[in-house]
Amino acid sequence: MAVNQMRSFLKWAGGKYKIINRIQQALPNGRQLIEHFAGSGIVFFNVDFEEYLVADTIADLIHLYKQVQVQGNNFALYASALFTPENNTEVAFYDLRAKFNACTDLARKSALFVYLNRHCFNGLCRYCSKGQFNVPFVRYTKPTFSSVEMLNFHDKSKRAVFEVADIKVIMEKAEIGSVVYCDLPYALLTTMANFCSYTKDGFTLNDKQALADCAKKLIGRDIPVVISNHKTESTQSLYSKAKIISFEVFIQRISIFQPNFLYTREFVCN
Ligand SMILES: C[S@@+](CC[C@H](N)C(=O)[O-])C[C@H]1O[C@@H](n2cnc3c(N)ncnc32)[C@H](O)[C@@H]1O
């Protein structure tokens, strides 16, 4: 299962680059990986399956992945043109952020998404209640555009399908040979962790319960499901029937938490 570790071309809150080895070890073999909550795509990028179904509820993210998949190098050149010293200023950032929020052209919007990701605070992706991207500018010395990672992603995406969909819809697509991995938005342990509210609707306890119910059904059909999240009382009780692998992770700029690896392969059906 383990392959070389590759970085993503996006920064992402809760990105799993530093613990990718743990995830590689926990994922069983299978024909197809179904990854909801894909974020920066680091798990998709660093595991080896014949096929992938990669999903997230952030439509702008999935549209970007489709642009990279279809256009490859042309898109990389197009997006990289936004990475100029003139665009690394507060004025240019807020102008481009407004253009992104008003944009309806998918290629342009996707290129702007990459620009915002590398010029905004900590690469966060957060939308206000009206659905507008609202993360503020931070002046990094030299924001990086990762064309190598983008082109590697393009190559790998030939075996992938990208979808914006609700988790239930995605999980219903699982069949024998599928392995499901869900990296849930973290529980809010501190005020700073509010940044983990990626979408305007957030991810509620009811959503977590619904996901746990879906996971149980899949386990009952012999389809393995692996879920990662913080170790809290509520997650422990939600996944009390799961095999749980716990370890500590330092989350940069937020705090030291004890997130858990909740491994539901051995979920027992009620
Ligand atoms: C912890 S991050 C995933 C990080 C990813 N594994 C990585 O390594 O970059 C959680 C993801 O859940 C997605 N998400 C947030 N709220 C959601 C919701 N209500 N339904 C589905 N996905 C959601 C976010 O877009 C985010 O990409």
Side-chain angles (χ1 to χ4, degrees), residues 103-123:
C103 187
T104 52
D105 177 87
L106 285 184
R108 179 73 183 153
K109 195 160 179 120
S110 298
L112 287 166
F113 189 88
V114 180
Y115 162 84
L116 291 175
N117 176 263
R118 289 285 171 171
H119 291 77
C120 74
F121 176 72
N122 225 13

Side-chain angles (χ1 to χ4, degrees), residues 2-270:
V3 290
N4 289 339
Q5 274 183 227
M6 292 193 281
R7 287 186 181 275
S8 168
F9 61 89
L10 295 174
K11 284 190 203 174
W12 209 256
K16 294 293 173 291
Y17 180 74
K18 289 185 178 158
I19 59 163
I20 191 64
N21 288 341
R22 299 267 194 177
I23 297 168
Q24 287 168 333
Q25 284 160 19
L27 284 173
N29 289 323
R31 184 187 54 77
Q32 175 204 38
L33 177 73
I34 297 184
E35 184 185 4
H36 204 291
F37 312 95
S40 65
I42 207 75
V43 177
F44 154 68
F45 217 30
N46 282 289
V47 293
D48 194 17
F49 287 80
E50 281 169 45
E51 288 172 20
Y52 304 86
L53 171 55
V54 177
D56 201 287
T57 43
I58 298 183
D60 295 327
L61 177 71
I62 296 299
H63 292 155
L64 163 64
Y65 288 158
K66 288 183 178 174
Q67 291 294 323
V68 176
Q69 180 183 42
V70 173
Q71 296 199 47
N73 197 38
N74 285 344
F75 180 78
L77 290 172
Y78 182 53
S80 68
L82 287 164
F83 286 67
T84 62
E86 300 72 48
N87 281 344
N88 192 19
T89 65
E90 201 164 342
V91 172
F93 175 87
Y94 288 110
D95 177 47
L96 290 169
R97 192 179 81 173
K99 287 188 169 127
F100 169 83
N101 281 324
C103 187
T104 52
D105 177 87
L106 285 184
R108 179 73 183 153
K109 195 160 179 120
S110 298
L112 287 166
F113 189 88
V114 180
Y115 162 84
L116 291 175
N117 176 263
R118 289 285 171 171
H119 291 77
C120 74
F121 176 72
N122 225 13
L124 295 171
C125 183
R126 190 187 56 189
Y127 295 83
C128 69
S129 57
K130 289 184 182 155
Q132 306 260 299
F133 184 92
N134 68 358
V135 184
F137 176 68
V138 168
R139 197 175 194 295
Y140 294 106
T141 318
K142 198 163 184 277
T144 328
F145 176 78
S146 317
S147 60
V148 171
E149 282 82 2
M150 191 177 275
L151 293 177
N152 284 338
F153 192 100
H154 165 69
D155 283 343
K156 186 136 191 192
S157 69
K158 289 171 188 156
R159 288 185 278 147
V161 171
F162 298 100
E163 278 195 34
V164 187
D166 183 75
I167 182 71
K168 276 195 203 157
V169 175
I170 294 297
M171 283 180 126
E172 275 163 16
K173 297 189 182 210
E175 48 191 37
I176 296 294
S178 304
V179 173
V180 179
Y181 172 62
C182 297
D183 184 19
L184 301 198
Y186 280 168
L188 303 181
L189 299 185
T190 69
T191 328
M192 283 294 282
N194 275 312
F195 279 120
C196 289
S197 183
Y198 306 81
T199 59
K200 64 185 171 58
D201 302 325
F203 197 76
T204 63
L205 265 182
N206 284 346
D207 293 328
K208 285 190 181 175
Q209 182 65 61
L211 173 70
D213 293 343
C214 283
K216 276 188 204 171
K217 282 190 194 143
L218 291 186
I219 300 302
R221 289 170 47 207
D222 277 340
I223 298 170
V225 181
V226 176
I227 297 175
S228 45
N229 206 205
H230 276 134
K231 181 180 186 178
T232 62
E233 273 181 28
S234 77
T235 50
Q236 274 182 300
S237 100
L238 203 52
Y239 302 107
S240 57
K241 303 244 171 82
K243 174 180 173 186
I244 295 181
I245 304 167
S246 315
F247 52 90
E248 294 197 356
V249 177
F250 175 70
I251 298 182
Q252 222 177 0
R253 288 182 192 273
I254 296 182
S255 186
I256 297 173
F257 295 143
Q258 285 102 36
N260 267 11
F261 207 73
L262 302 175
Y263 182 37
T264 65
R265 183 149 52 147
E266 291 167 20
F267 232 128
V268 178
C269 284
N270 289 323

